[in-house]
């Protein structure tokens, strides 16, 4: 039935005994069956585990069977952990009930003894009445019997009866406990035999029983007094407890045993005094050694004297839990409190690890107290985590106030990503000063938090790191010119001051900081952390899913900076310092109202867009070495921001489609030239498939507005070659490179597959 029990923690998607693939191989599909229904077979009285396994494993090969065994071991561990949590969740009620049962058993024993005494008394009185009723008729006979008895020698039983009190007094005085117990047991047996055979009168039997009861109580008091003495050694303590149990007072014996161990523990702990100058781990180790050694000895003594009786085990677990609670409070007060307040995460982790390490020694004896300790330590550890993370955030913000946003290799005194040497210099990250400090402190943080992850106490560490990374990215956003007007980006910055990144190179350095941290440095450090604490089975799958989600959150944080960068540069292109727009409907509509022939070149805003992209791409090639994809996506995002603004500008399209002046042939030609110019310079470098489709839709919309005037766009627009000529001439002039023939692309571009359609295909798309 072990397999059946282990399966209770399995989800309802498949059998609790076999993995999904194994179950499928066995020839069954029960995805819709509830878990309770699947377990019915294990609950039947005639369940045969061997037959069941043979029926399921008949078609499995050795590899599948080994996989099944490994899977069942993982289920067994998970089931044991679940059962342990369930037991601790209801343990208080269980302990209370067991204690009440133990007390009730003691009361029942007292009632039974009382009833026996009363029964003997009643029998004695009854016999006395019968003797009195017969005394009148038998006086002569009685006198004759008395004279006969007086003439006889005293019997052996009578001699023993008269010597018993003196003998027992001697044994008790000399503390010969075992012999005294044997004498009391012998007296009980003699009293029973005398009553049955009539060798003693009822009055003598009652007197004997009273003597036995009084001496039992006297011996019990002596044993209890001896157990409470601090000078009593372990052997004597166990002997006293065993003797008390033999006297029929087991609950008292067990309580005295635990009380004696507690007394010794308190005496030993008086020699361990915390000091403000001493190491917290040393205090924790000394204290843990005393506490868990005494608990282990109490476990051993209890098992030797009382076995595994549930009532005694319950009291023992309650006592041990209380000792562990007291120990954890002392560690919190004298070791963890100072660590937590000062952000001493490594010292706090070591104290916790030492304490839990000592507690794990009790697991082999059947007692696990780690859950009790972890519950008490968690608030202090969380406080230390928060203090450490806050220190990283404040230190990084202080450096950001004076950061010149120049990317350099790690300076002296800052933890490098790898050991520096002539051959590995290229492996070192190039970051600005504040990012170097952030990376170094995070590396230290991961080293400190490592033991906590293995102890399941570092759950909030990764979330806390995301929070401070988000805070650092907000600092980078605030360093962008124009971010002062963005109230959303300034939320949470408080009074933090950041030096502005004035040049495009400095602004790209902001993105390099965030992208390198999010894509490489932080994930690698986290992976190293988790590799120190491997897991198996379902836990491994959960960890992989958590790591992926954590990386996605890092990337979303970087995207926030990237979008702010692109939005501000797009706004700089579109609007003047006075708030006027460089991209309005009037610039196209007014072309047909002038008498001068226009100069056919792309509009200034799109020339500036290409110039800015070209310049940024050149700078990014030096900054994002090995991460060209990020640079390319950044340029595409900037192009997308401008084109989406044009696509979604309602005032622009209201003027084009519904304004009092219609879009004329010259305006359409200029607009079409601008869009084709963007398509041509963006091929493979600055244009994504999505933005390419957005431009085609913009062209369609402009064509439709022109067609609404009753004119045919194809008749007024020049040939495709004309647009290609004008666009490539402008591209060559701005880039300083010779013209590229139509249809050629940059072979080495990382997004060469994302090229735009040709000018002719754009026109055919619009015509269709």
């Amino acid at each position: 039935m072990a397999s059946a029990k282990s399966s209770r923690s399995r989800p309802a998607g498949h059998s609790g005994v076999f993995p999904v693939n194994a179950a499928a191989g066995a020839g069954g599909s029960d995805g819709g069956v509830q878990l309770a229904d699947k377990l019915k077979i294990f609950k039947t009285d005639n369940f045969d585990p061997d037959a069941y396994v043979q029926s399921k494993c008949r078609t499995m090969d050795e590899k599948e069977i080994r996989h099944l065994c490994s899977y069942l071991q993982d289920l067994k561990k998970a089931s044991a952990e679940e059962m342990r949590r369930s037991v601790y969740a209801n343990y208080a009620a269980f302990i209370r009930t067991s204690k009440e049962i133990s007390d009730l058993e003691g009361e029942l024993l007292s009632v039974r003894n009382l009833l026996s005494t009363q029964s003997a008394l009643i029998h004695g009185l009854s016999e006395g009445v019968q003797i009195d009723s017969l005394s009148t008729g038998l006086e002569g006979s009685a006198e004759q019997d008395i004279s006969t008895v007086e003439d006889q020698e005293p019997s052996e039983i009578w001699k023993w009866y008269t010597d018993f009190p003196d003998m027992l007094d001697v044994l008790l005085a000399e503390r010969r406990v075992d012999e005294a117990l044997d004498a009391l047991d012998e007296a009980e047996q003699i009293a029973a035999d005398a009553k049955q055979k009539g060798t003693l009168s009822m009055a003598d039997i009652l007197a004997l029983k009273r003597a036995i009861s009084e001496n039992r109580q006297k011996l019990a008091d002596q044993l209890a007094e001896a157990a409470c003495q601090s000078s009593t050694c372990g052997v004597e303590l166990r002997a006293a407890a065993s003797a008390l149990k033999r006297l029929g007072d087991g609950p008292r014996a067990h309580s005295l045993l635990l009380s004696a161990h507690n007394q010794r523990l308190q005496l030993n702990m008086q020699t361990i005094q915390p000091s403000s100058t001493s190491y917290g781990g040393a205090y924790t180790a000394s204290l843990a050694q005393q506490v868990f050694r005494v608990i282990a000895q109490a476990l051993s003594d209890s098992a030797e004297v009382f076995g595994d009786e549930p009532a005694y085990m319950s009291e023992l677990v309650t006592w041990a839990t209380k000792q562990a609670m007291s120990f954890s409070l002392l560690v919190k007060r004298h070791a963890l409190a100072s660590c937590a307040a000062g952000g001493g995460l490594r010292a706090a982790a070591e104290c916790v690890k030492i304490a839990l390490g000592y507690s794990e020694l009790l697991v082999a004896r059947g007692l696990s107290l780690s859950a009790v300790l972890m519950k008490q330590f968690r608030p202090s550890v969380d406080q230390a985590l928060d203090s450490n993370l806050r220190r990283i955030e404040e230190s990084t913000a202080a450096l950001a106030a004076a950061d010149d946003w120049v990317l350099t290799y790690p300076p002296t005194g800052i933890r490098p990503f790898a050991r520096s040497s002539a051959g590995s210099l290229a492996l070192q990250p190039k970051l600005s000063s504040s990012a170097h400090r952030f990376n170094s402190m995070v590396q230290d943080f991961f080293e400190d938090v490592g033991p906590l992850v293995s102890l399941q106490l570092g759950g909030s560490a990764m979330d806390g790191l995301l929070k401070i990374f988000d805070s650092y990215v907000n600092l980078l956003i605030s360093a962008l010119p124009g971010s002062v007007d963005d109230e959303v980006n300034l939320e949470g910055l408080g009074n933090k001051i950041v030096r502005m990144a004035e040049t495009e190179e400095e602004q790209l350095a902001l993105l390099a900081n965030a992208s390198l941290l999010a894509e490489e440095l932080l994930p690698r450090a986290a992976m190293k952390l988790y590799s120190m604490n491997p897991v198996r089975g379902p836990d491994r799958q959960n960890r992989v899913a958590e790591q992926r989600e954590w990386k996605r959150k890092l990337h979303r944080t970087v995207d926030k900076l990237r979008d702010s960068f692109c939005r501000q540069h797009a706004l700089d292109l579109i609007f003047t310092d006075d708030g006027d727009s460089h991209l309005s409907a009037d610039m196209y509509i007014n072309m047909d109202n002038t008498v001068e022939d226009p100069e056919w070149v792309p509009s200034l805003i799109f020339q500036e867009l290409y110039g800015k992209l070209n310049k940024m791409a050149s700078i990014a090639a030096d900054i994002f070495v090995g991460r060209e994809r990020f640079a390319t996506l950044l340029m595409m995002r900037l192009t997308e921001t401008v084109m989406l603004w044009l696509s979604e500008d309602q005032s622009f399209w209201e003027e084009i489609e519904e304004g009092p002046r219609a879009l004329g042939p010259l305006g359409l030609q200029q607009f079409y030239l601008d869009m084709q110019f963007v398509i041509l310079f963006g091929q493979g470098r600055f244009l994504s498939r999505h933005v390419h489709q957005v431009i085609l839709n913009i062209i369609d919309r402009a064509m439709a507005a022109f067609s609404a005037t009753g004119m045919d766009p194809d008749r007024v627009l020049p040939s495709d070659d004309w647009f290609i000529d004008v666009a490539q001439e402008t591209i060559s002039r701005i880039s300083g490179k010779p013209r590229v023939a139509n249809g050629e692309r940059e072979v080495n571009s990382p997004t060469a597959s994302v090229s735009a359609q040709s000018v002719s295909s754009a026109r055919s798309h619009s015509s269709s």
Side-chain angles (χ1 to χ4, degrees):
M1 293 299 290
S3 298
K5 292 179 181 178
S6 299
S7 68
R8 292 177 185 172
S9 61
R10 295 284 301 171
H14 56 82
S15 170
V17 178
F18 297 96
V20 175
N21 56 353
S29 178
D30 53 355
V33 182
Q34 295 296 326
L35 181 60
D37 296 332
K38 299 176 186 176
L39 296 178
K40 287 182 179 179
I41 186 174
F42 302 106
K43 299 179 181 179
T44 58
D45 295 335
N46 57 351
F47 175 72
D48 186 353
D50 293 334
Y52 181 80
V53 171
Q54 289 178 3
S55 66
K56 293 294 183 180
C57 300
R58 186 171 300 159
T59 59
M60 288 186 178
D61 56 20
E62 181 180 355
K63 182 178 180 181
E64 291 174 330
I65 292 177
R66 290 182 180 276
H67 178 70
L68 172 61
C69 292
S70 175
Y71 190 80
L72 289 177
Q73 288 293 333
D74 293 336
L75 283 180
K76 181 179 179 182
K77 293 178 181 178
S79 176
E81 178 64 19
E82 181 181 358
M83 183 177 67
R84 186 183 65 79
R85 287 197 299 264
S86 177
V87 168
Y88 272 105
N90 303 282
Y91 210 70
F94 175 71
I95 294 298
R96 185 172 59 255
T97 304
S98 299
K99 184 66 176 176
E100 291 174 355
I101 292 174
S102 177
D103 294 341
L104 183 59
E105 289 176 348
E107 293 176 0
L108 289 175
L109 180 62
S110 300
V111 170
R112 186 180 65 183
N113 293 336
L114 181 59
L115 290 176
S116 298
T117 303
Q118 291 179 345
S119 176
L121 180 60
I122 291 172
H123 282 293
L125 292 174
S126 175
E127 293 178 2
V129 170
Q130 293 177 5
I131 292 172
D132 290 342
S133 64
L134 297 174
S135 61
T136 305
L138 300 175
E139 289 180 357
S141 175
E143 292 175 356
Q144 183 179 358
D145 292 339
I146 291 173
S147 62
T148 303
V149 171
E150 290 176 349
D151 295 337
Q152 294 178 353
E153 291 290 331
S155 63
E156 292 294 329
I157 187 62
W158 181 258
K159 290 181 179 179
W160 180 91
Y161 170 71
T162 56
D163 295 339
F164 172 71
D166 296 334
M167 174 190 65
L168 200 57
D169 287 340
V170 172
L171 294 177
L172 293 178
E174 296 178 357
R175 298 186 179 274
R176 294 155 63 183
V177 177
D178 291 337
E179 295 181 40
L181 288 171
D182 293 339
L184 289 172
D185 291 341
E186 183 183 4
E188 291 278 7
Q189 185 63 41
I190 289 175
D193 293 343
K195 180 179 178 181
Q196 182 178 2
K197 299 177 180 179
T199 53
L200 289 175
S201 66
M202 186 53 61
D204 292 337
I205 293 176
L206 292 175
L208 177 59
K209 287 190 174 183
R210 282 195 299 271
I212 294 173
S213 178
E214 291 172 357
N215 283 281
R216 278 185 179 276
Q217 185 62 44
K218 185 177 180 181
L219 178 58
D221 293 340
Q222 285 186 359
L223 293 171
E225 182 181 359
C228 295
Q229 297 296 324
S230 59
S231 59
T232 303
C233 65
V235 176
E236 293 174 342
L237 178 61
R238 290 190 294 272
S242 179
L244 272 174
K245 180 186 177 185
R246 186 174 169 183
L247 286 171
D249 202 356
R252 183 187 184 191
H254 196 260
S255 298
L256 286 172
L257 178 69
L258 298 181
S259 178
H261 281 295
N262 182 66
Q263 183 180 4
R264 293 179 182 177
L265 176 60
Q266 298 304 319
L267 290 174
N268 294 338
M269 289 173 58
Q270 290 178 3
T271 62
I272 305 174
Q273 296 296 332
S275 173
S276 58
T277 60
S278 64
Y279 171 48
Y283 171 76
T284 303
S286 300
L287 196 64
Q289 184 179 11
Q290 292 293 338
V291 171
F292 292 104
R293 184 175 62 183
V294 169
I295 293 177
Q297 187 60 53
L299 286 171
S300 178
D301 291 349
S302 178
E304 181 177 339
V305 177
F306 301 95
D308 56 355
E309 296 184 30
Y312 300 129
M313 286 299 299
S314 299
E315 185 181 13
L316 178 61
V317 171
T318 303
W319 176 83
T321 302
K322 182 179 179 181
Q323 302 304 320
M325 288 280 289
S326 300
F327 161 77
S328 63
L329 292 175
L330 288 173
V331 172
K332 284 177 61 177
R333 183 183 306 121
H334 299 298
L336 289 182
S338 58
C339 297
L345 187 58
R346 181 173 300 182
E350 188 164 354
C351 290
V352 172
K353 189 172 183 179
I354 289 172
L356 293 178
Y358 275 98
S359 72
E360 287 298 315
L361 299 176
L362 301 177
V363 174
R365 299 175 181 265
L367 180 62
S368 176
L369 297 174
S370 58
V372 178
L373 298 179
M374 290 172 68
K375 182 179 179 180
Q376 295 298 317
F377 292 153
R378 188 178 299 278
S380 297
V381 172
D382 288 341
Q383 184 182 357
L385 278 172
D386 293 339
S387 299
N388 207 274
L389 292 170
R390 188 164 55 251
R391 182 168 58 85
I392 296 175
E393 182 179 1
E394 293 173 352
S395 178
T396 305
L399 274 181
D403 200 330
D404 57 6
W405 309 121
V406 175
L407 303 181
T408 61
Y409 290 111
T412 304
I414 296 293
R415 170 190 293 271
F417 181 69
R419 293 185 180 275
S420 59
S421 64
S424 65
L425 185 60
L427 299 178
Q428 302 300 325
K430 290 188 69 174
L431 301 167
S432 69
S433 59
S434 62
H436 274 304
R437 173 59 63 88
F438 182 87
N439 178 48
S440 175
M441 297 185 75
V442 167
Q443 301 296 327
D444 290 337
F445 174 80
F446 274 124
E447 288 187 4
D448 295 345
V449 84
L452 299 178
V453 174
S454 65
L455 300 173
Q456 301 177 357
L457 283 172
S460 59
M462 304 305 289
D463 292 337
L465 189 59
L466 281 175
K467 183 178 178 181
I468 63 170
F469 180 68
D470 183 77
S471 176
Y472 179 62
V473 169
N474 285 338
L475 283 174
L476 300 181
I477 292 174
S478 67
L480 292 171
S483 62
V484 177
D485 300 326
D486 193 346
E487 296 181 357
V488 176
N489 290 337
L490 294 179
E491 286 184 1
L493 290 180
N495 298 323
K496 297 174 183 175
I497 301 175
V498 182
R499 180 184 176 278
M500 286 295 172
E502 301 292 347
T503 66
E504 292 174 344
E505 185 172 5
E506 291 176 351
Q507 294 165 22
L508 288 173
L510 302 177
L511 287 157
N513 283 339
S515 62
L516 184 59
L517 287 169
E519 293 180 1
E520 296 185 20
L521 302 182
L522 298 184
R524 286 183 184 178
M527 186 178 299
K528 182 179 179 181
L529 169 68
Y530 284 120
S531 66
M532 297 166 56
N533 307 284
V535 293
R536 298 177 56 192
D539 291 338
R540 176 178 176 79
Q541 298 176 0
N542 294 337
R543 175 174 288 184
V544 170
E546 290 173 359
Q547 288 177 316
R548 288 176 180 171
E549 180 60 25
W550 190 72
K551 290 180 181 178
R552 279 194 291 268
K553 290 180 179 178
L554 288 175
H555 292 158
R556 284 198 292 267
T557 302
V558 176
D559 290 345
K560 184 171 61 172
L561 172 61
R562 181 203 62 190
D563 293 344
S564 294
F565 172 87
C566 294
R567 181 172 59 253
Q568 291 177 26
H569 278 278
L571 293 176
D572 290 342
L573 287 169
I574 296 171
F575 294 100
T576 65
D577 294 338
D578 298 329
D580 297 331
S581 176
H582 290 300
L583 185 58
S584 64
D586 288 341
M587 61 186 282
Y588 297 107
I589 294 175
N590 291 337
M591 291 187 68
D592 290 276
N593 298 326
T594 60
V595 295
E596 299 179 359
D597 291 335
E599 181 182 357
W600 291 111
V601 292
S603 298
L604 183 60
I605 180 175
F606 295 107
Q607 292 187 51
E608 291 179 350
L609 173 61
Y610 174 60
K612 183 180 286 289
L613 290 170
N614 212 38
K615 180 181 178 182
M616 286 187 177
S618 177
I619 298 173
D622 296 329
I623 291 179
F624 297 96
V625 177
R627 292 180 292 124
E628 290 79 6
R629 175 176 171 78
F630 180 86
T632 301
L633 293 177
L634 175 63
M635 301 300 109
M636 289 183 174
R637 182 61 175 171
L638 177 55
T639 307
E640 179 182 0
T641 304
V642 175
M643 301 314 297
L644 284 178
W645 187 92
L646 174 61
S647 175
E648 298 170 358
D649 185 5
Q650 295 300 323
S651 62
F652 179 92
W653 291 107
E654 286 176 0
E655 288 290 328
I656 294 291
E657 297 172 338
E658 303 173 5
R661 295 178 297 164
L663 180 65
L666 297 180
L668 176 63
Q669 184 175 342
Q670 181 65 53
F671 186 82
Y672 194 84
L673 174 61
D674 290 342
M675 296 301 101
Q676 297 302 339
F677 176 65
V678 175
I679 290 176
L680 283 174
F681 78 63
Q683 290 185 86
R685 297 184 65 195
F686 310 131
L687 204 64
S688 65
R689 288 189 179 94
H690 171 65
V691 179
H692 177 256
Q693 185 60 48
V694 169
I695 295 175
L696 294 181
N697 293 339
I698 291 174
I699 294 175
D700 286 346
R701 192 169 182 180
M703 291 283 200
F706 183 80
S707 299
T709 63
M711 291 184 285
D712 185 0
D714 290 331
R715 292 191 175 185
V716 300
L717 293 177
S719 66
D720 295 338
D721 292 339
W722 182 87
F723 288 105
I724 294 173
D725 250 7
V726 175
Q728 288 193 345
E729 183 67 30
T730 305
I731 291 173
S732 177
R733 175 172 52 82
I734 295 175
S735 65
K737 298 178 181 179
R739 291 179 53 176
V740 180
N742 182 28
E744 293 184 9
R745 302 189 183 103
E746 296 183 20
V747 178
N748 295 328
S749 172
T751 57
S753 61
V754 192
S755 63
Q757 298 180 9
S758 65
V759 173
S760 59
S761 65
R763 178 177 292 189
S764 63
H765 179 273
S766 302
S767 300
S768 62

